[in-house]
Amino acid sequence: MRKQLIQIVDFKSLSWIIICLGIVLRSFQYMLDASLWLDECFLALNITNRSFPELLKPLDYTQVAPVGFLIITKLMVQTFGNNEYIFRMFPFVCGIISIFLFFRVAKYFLTKEAVLIALGLFALSCYLIQYSGEFKQYSSDVAIALFLYVVAIYLQSQRLKPTNIALFGAIGAIIIWFSHTSAFVLAGIGISLGLPCLVKKEWARFGQLSIIYLIWLLSFAAFYLVFSSDTTSIVVKEEMQHAWRGCFMPFPPSSLSDIKWFIRTFFDIFRNPGGFSFVGIATLTFLIGCISIFLKNKQWFFILLSPLFITLLASGFHMYPFKNRLLLFFAPSLFLFIAE
């Protein structure tokens, strides 16, 4: 039956049907032109009332967003005007681009049938559609994570000449300023590609990779110094931690309730950002997919999964909440494992 279906409509045609459906749904969400909700309004006020240099300072109304995201939106508002469509344009564009990036990543290591399942899950994801039409950074986080996975594909397969080292180093260094979660993805890619070189004693390639990682690390250090040196940022961090209380990993776990936190949080990932109603089925297929990809391609297993554990570790130090939309960047990996 599967062969008959593929004979009627080939893989390429089915892929484009799903891609177009994803674009239509995101476009419909964007064109609704619903009024900005409270957090969107607060973020829009920061864009409207501040100059470009002032966007480097901690934002008002306890808002947090990557400086690159803010600057792009500020440029668009100054160029095209101040309205809901313009504020939401960058997340919308990222939502469209992310479909094509996800398709590229899925084709790299999934079978054609699994690619279609993964693409369908991604295109129809209620949360990916929702945040493609909201003025928040979560849609761009997804697009940037997928772009970094595409970079990892080339980084894994390319000979590292000086030009490639400079290019890959620059890409990671710049992207850190456009997405907070990119630091977790870059760390996962760095560890997953670097450790095998150490195990195999490929010292030359490890040295080349180390140069790239050093450039990323220096950019992250500069980012951290800029946004943690101001005393106002400390107040913002305290307010954010209060707002997201209960969303940080108990570290170290010391009670039964702490253990329950891990279990509850694990299943919550499938509800949000996963968007699955049948959490048990989604969890089971995810675990089976993890085993399958691990046996087929260990390196990509760790590239896709390690950012989640690094994020979890960061939450243990109260540096990043581990909850719902803040984990949207992991949704593509979740769908890939389930599709597998």
Side-chain angles (χ1 to χ4, degrees):
M1 186 175 179
R2 186 181 69 185
K3 290 182 179 178
Q4 292 174 347
L5 178 62
I6 292 176
Q7 287 175 356
I8 296 171
V9 184
D10 62 17
F11 170 76
K12 187 175 181 180
S13 299
L14 280 171
S15 299
W16 274 109
I17 289 171
I18 297 171
I19 288 169
C20 290
L21 179 60
I23 293 172
V24 168
L25 291 172
R26 284 156 178 76
S27 301
F28 180 75
Q29 178 73 17
Y30 176 70
M31 295 302 292
L32 283 176
D33 192 29
S35 299
L36 297 176
W37 64 285
L38 188 61
D39 269 6
E40 287 182 297
C41 289
F42 287 155
L43 198 54
L45 286 172
N46 279 283
I47 295 292
T48 304
N49 298 333
R50 290 186 174 216
S51 63
F52 283 103
E54 289 173 336
L55 292 176
L56 293 171
K57 299 179 180 179
L59 302 178
D60 297 323
Y61 316 112
T62 66
Q63 293 299 298
V64 178
V67 63
F69 176 87
L70 298 172
I71 288 173
I72 287 177
T73 306
K74 180 77 173 178
L75 286 170
M76 295 176 76
V77 168
Q78 288 191 342
T79 305
F80 301 110
N82 186 335
N83 61 65
E84 286 87 348
Y85 285 122
I86 302 305
F87 281 118
R88 291 169 173 160
M89 185 179 292
F90 183 56
F92 170 67
V93 171
C94 287
I96 301 300
I97 292 174
S98 66
I99 300 175
F100 294 95
L101 291 172
F102 182 80
F103 186 42
R104 172 68 182 88
V105 174
K107 286 195 300 180
Y108 181 71
F109 61 87
L110 295 181
T111 63
K112 288 184 176 181
E113 292 85 0
V115 168
L116 293 175
I117 295 170
L119 192 59
L121 291 172
F122 190 90
L124 300 175
S125 168
C126 58
Y127 291 111
L128 290 178
I129 293 169
Q130 175 186 339
Y131 289 112
S132 293
E134 287 194 6
F135 177 45
K136 298 293 287 185
Q137 67 268 28
Y138 309 118
S139 179
S140 57
D141 283 345
V142 173
I144 287 172
L146 287 166
F147 174 71
L148 289 176
Y149 291 142
V150 173
V151 169
I153 291 172
Y154 287 99
L155 191 59
Q156 185 184 35
S157 60
Q158 295 289 316
R159 291 183 59 188
L160 293 178
K161 300 176 182 179
T163 51
N164 289 337
I165 292 173
L167 177 62
F168 290 133
I171 287 172
I174 293 170
I175 275 180
I176 286 171
W177 297 78
F178 285 81
S179 170
H180 295 150
T181 57
S182 66
F184 307 134
V185 179
L186 286 170
I189 292 171
I191 293 170
S192 302
L193 295 183
L195 280 181
C197 293
L198 285 176
V199 173
K200 296 176 183 178
K201 298 182 179 180
E202 297 175 347
W203 305 118
R205 185 169 179 83
F206 181 75
Q208 293 167 336
L209 288 172
S210 297
I211 296 172
I212 297 173
Y213 301 160
L214 179 60
I215 296 171
W216 295 353
L217 187 60
L218 289 173
S219 178
F220 177 78
F223 173 85
Y224 187 80
L225 287 174
V226 168
F227 293 103
S228 66
S229 58
D230 197 310
T231 54
T232 311
S233 66
I234 299 174
V235 177
V236 173
K237 288 177 183 176
E238 291 176 350
E239 291 175 344
M240 290 300 294
Q241 288 191 15
H242 176 74
W244 289 99
R245 62 189 180 278
C247 301
F248 298 99
M249 177 182 73
F251 186 71
S254 57
S255 66
L256 182 60
S257 63
D258 290 346
I259 302 300
K260 288 180 179 179
W261 183 93
F262 285 94
I263 298 171
R264 182 179 65 254
T265 301
F266 174 70
F267 286 106
D268 281 347
I269 292 172
F270 296 92
R271 295 187 183 92
N272 187 354
F276 294 100
S277 299
F278 302 99
V279 173
I281 296 173
T283 304
L284 179 61
T285 52
F286 170 78
L287 294 174
I288 295 171
C290 285
I291 295 170
S292 178
I293 289 181
F294 178 79
L295 295 174
K296 189 165 63 175
N297 193 326
K298 292 179 177 61
Q299 196 166 59
W300 267 96
F301 168 82
F302 288 110
I303 287 174
L304 293 173
L305 200 57
S306 57
L308 185 71
F309 288 99
I310 295 169
T311 308
L312 184 64
L313 184 62
S315 77
F317 290 98
H318 287 235
M319 297 175 66
Y320 191 85
F322 196 85
K323 190 74 172 178
N324 296 347
R325 62 184 183 272
L326 296 175
L327 300 178
L328 192 68
F329 76 98
F330 182 69
S333 297
L334 193 69
F335 298 148
L336 289 170
F337 283 118
I338 289 174
E340 172 71 14

